[in-house]
Amino acid sequence: MKKDQEIIKQNNIKLFLDALLENKPAPRIELAKKTNMSPTSITRIASLLISKGFIIETDTFSKGIGRHAIMLNTVKNSAYSIGIEIKSQLLRFVIIDFHKDYVASSSKKYDICNHSLDELANIIYQESIQLLSDYNIPYEKIIGIGVSIPGIVDNRTNIISFSTQLQWKNQDIAKLLQPLFKKPVVVENDAKARVIGEKHIHKIPNNIDCAMLIISNGVSSAALSQGKLVRGFDNGAGEIGHITLEPNGILCDCGNKGCIQTRLSDKFLIQTAKQYDSSINCLVDILNAYYQNKNWAKDIISHFKYSFTLALNILEGCYNPVSIMASGHVVETMEPILKDCISDFIQSKNNHINVMITKDVNNVAATGSAIIASDMFITNLIGDLNYI
């Protein structure tokens, strides 16, 4: 019962802030209507956030005859969150403000597998401090750190169970970052962080269920239902890359044969192409060979398109979303040959679903990580709410 009450309070705080951010400035009575919460609950949450300096009461305002209402508004620069995306060869950093708007970003190339976890934690801390300094953001206003990684993450413990790309197994980088930052740290799977970032950037409302397919060094997916992540057991929902497509197919990094990612990810596409032409070094080389009507390239692309459509069908069947976003550098590179593929898929679903290709030009996973850290901080205020 106590756990249920805490969840309700957490949801109420987030509902309140989401409604205020969408309708700012707004009177208490309007927020009560938007959230279906009682005026008493609205007043208690507002009092808490005012005491913390996150929202303020503005001048009275009236749209006509009658009693003037005291408006509530958020304080944009009252708090900031840092989002960090760890990739096998790259670190990305994003800072967002209390409105969850982008403030600053940077990226640095690092061969992550050549650094110990302790070294990596120190690099992340130093790069973050430098970014804060570059943009004159006070450290005391940082409310949380979000980290996204490719792989399976236990969102309850922050333990990274397995990451093929980073070659990590049962690692806990949050435990190393916490003493350095002295701020709350949360770790999340990159696909889940990315779908949250895309939702925010594209302003997708909570009532639009959406899913994301990411194809790069691996294949992963994530989904949001009513604005909440679909997590599954041990936060493993969305790991579609290791669904077996061909039992006697190519050996995958996971140890099984014929996983979907062996037909979609760049590593395996290039590896397969090299068997026919040793000069192939990138996806563009495969595309050029395809346009030159080389049979081996046409065969690889045919398998790629079939597997891509299969992945879309898996997402549609599992999550039944209104919208699917396809992303990752493989999708971006292969976009010219995927347009007809996507069009055929949409038609096969009687146009009841939308599929769009999104490009990672906004540090989406890092932004999503920062949003997760911000939301975690806000929902953890329930302890203070109990005393109001």
Side-chain angles (χ1 to χ4, degrees):
M1 181 65 72
K2 183 179 178 181
K3 183 69 173 177
D4 292 340
Q5 290 175 345
E6 288 182 353
I7 292 172
I8 291 170
K9 289 177 181 178
Q10 288 176 343
N11 289 337
N12 284 349
I13 292 175
K14 191 171 186 306
L15 276 172
F16 173 94
L17 268 176
D18 287 346
L20 183 55
L21 286 170
E22 286 180 11
N23 302 278
K24 61 184 188 296
R28 288 171 173 81
I29 190 66
E30 182 180 338
L31 293 173
K33 291 177 182 178
K34 293 281 186 183
T35 60
N36 290 320
M37 291 163 56
S38 70
T40 301
S41 294
I42 291 293
T43 297
R44 292 178 71 229
I45 294 172
S47 297
L48 169 65
L49 295 178
I50 289 170
S51 71
K52 298 289 185 181
F54 298 136
I55 68 173
I56 57 171
E57 292 181 327
T58 65
D59 293 337
T60 57
F61 174 81
S62 175
K63 294 182 179 179
I65 298 173
R67 200 171 165 187
H68 287 203
I70 295 176
M71 310 297 283
L72 298 175
N73 206 347
T74 52
V75 181
K76 186 177 176 68
N77 63 351
S78 59
Y80 299 87
S81 300
I82 301 175
I84 302 148
E85 180 185 13
I86 303 177
K87 299 172 72 73
S88 59
Q89 302 288 327
L90 186 70
L91 290 174
R92 284 176 172 161
F93 301 83
V94 163
I95 298 174
I96 62 171
D97 59 27
F98 195 62
H99 284 181
K100 300 179 181 177
D101 290 335
Y102 163 91
V103 174
S105 69
S106 67
S107 61
K108 300 285 179 159
K109 289 186 177 181
Y110 286 99
D111 189 344
I112 301 302
C113 295
N114 283 340
H115 293 278
S116 69
L117 233 60
D118 284 294
E119 291 172 338
L120 180 61
N122 277 285
I123 289 170
I124 288 172
Y125 176 71
Q126 294 299 333
E127 293 288 357
S128 299
I129 295 300
Q130 184 62 55
L131 185 60
L132 291 170
S133 175
D134 291 344
Y135 285 83
N136 297 314
I137 298 172
Y139 186 78
E140 60 270 17
K141 289 191 175 184
I142 299 299
I143 58 175
I145 316 296
V147 181
S148 75
I149 66 101
I152 299 174
V153 180
D154 187 333
N155 65 300
R156 298 162 301 183
T157 64
N158 284 329
I159 299 292
I160 299 141
S161 305
F162 183 65
S163 174
T164 302
Q165 290 92 328
L166 302 181
Q167 298 177 25
W168 290 358
K169 189 172 183 180
N170 296 324
Q171 299 290 352
D172 187 357
I173 194 165
K175 187 177 180 180
L176 299 174
L177 291 173
Q178 190 89 44
L180 296 172
F181 281 101
K182 295 181 175 60
K183 305 282 183 179
V185 178
V186 59
V187 182
E188 186 57 271
N189 163 266
D190 61 344
K192 291 180 173 64
R194 189 156 184 167
V195 75
I196 287 175
E198 292 284 8
K199 175 184 181 297
H200 177 72
I201 289 168
H202 294 289
K203 302 186 186 307
I204 299 173
N206 286 341
N207 63 342
I208 300 295
D209 288 357
C210 57
M212 170 147 257
L213 173 64
I214 304 172
I215 308 174
S216 53
N217 296 328
V219 177
S220 59
S221 71
L224 292 168
S225 178
Q226 298 300 300
K228 295 182 179 180
L229 283 168
V230 178
R231 292 194 176 277
F233 179 72
D234 280 350
N235 204 30
E239 294 297 324
I240 68 169
H242 298 292
I243 294 175
T244 300
L245 178 61
E246 301 167 299
N248 296 315
I250 300 168
L251 181 65
C252 183
D253 294 330
C254 70
N256 295 323
K257 289 185 176 182
C259 296
I260 286 180
Q261 78 169 25
T262 64
R263 289 295 187 182
L264 288 175
S265 70
D266 60 352
K267 170 185 173 180
F268 289 102
L269 289 172
I270 295 168
Q271 178 181 302
T272 302
K274 278 184 173 292
Q275 295 176 9
Y276 301 95
D277 185 343
S278 59
S279 68
I280 299 295
N281 291 310
C282 62
L283 296 177
V284 174
D285 291 340
I286 299 175
L287 271 182
N288 288 336
Y290 172 76
Y291 292 134
Q292 294 166 11
N293 289 318
K294 293 186 178 180
N295 288 332
W296 63 264
K298 289 164 68 176
D299 185 55
I300 289 175
I301 294 300
S302 176
H303 278 91
F304 175 82
K305 292 170 72 174
Y306 170 80
S307 302
F308 178 81
T309 302
L310 178 62
L312 292 180
N313 274 292
I314 290 172
L315 294 192
E316 193 272 338
C318 289
Y319 302 124
N320 193 27
V322 175
S323 179
I324 294 178
M325 296 168 283
S327 189
H329 71 264
V330 173
V331 174
E332 291 183 34
T333 304
M334 296 295 193
E335 184 176 2
I337 65 166
L338 288 178
K339 289 181 178 178
D340 289 341
C341 200
I342 290 172
S343 178
D344 290 344
F345 172 78
I346 293 173
Q347 288 182 25
S348 73
K349 304 301 176 183
N350 297 317
N351 298 311
H352 291 155
I353 189 169
N354 175 54
V355 179
M356 62 177 173
I357 291 177
T358 62
K359 298 183 178 180
D360 190 11
V361 295
N362 296 306
N363 298 315
V364 183
T367 299
S369 302
I371 290 172
I372 291 170
S374 178
D375 287 346
M376 178 187 68
F377 174 82
I378 295 302
T379 55
N380 283 342
L381 289 174
I382 59 168
D384 295 328
L385 189 61
N386 292 331
Y387 295 102
I388 292 179

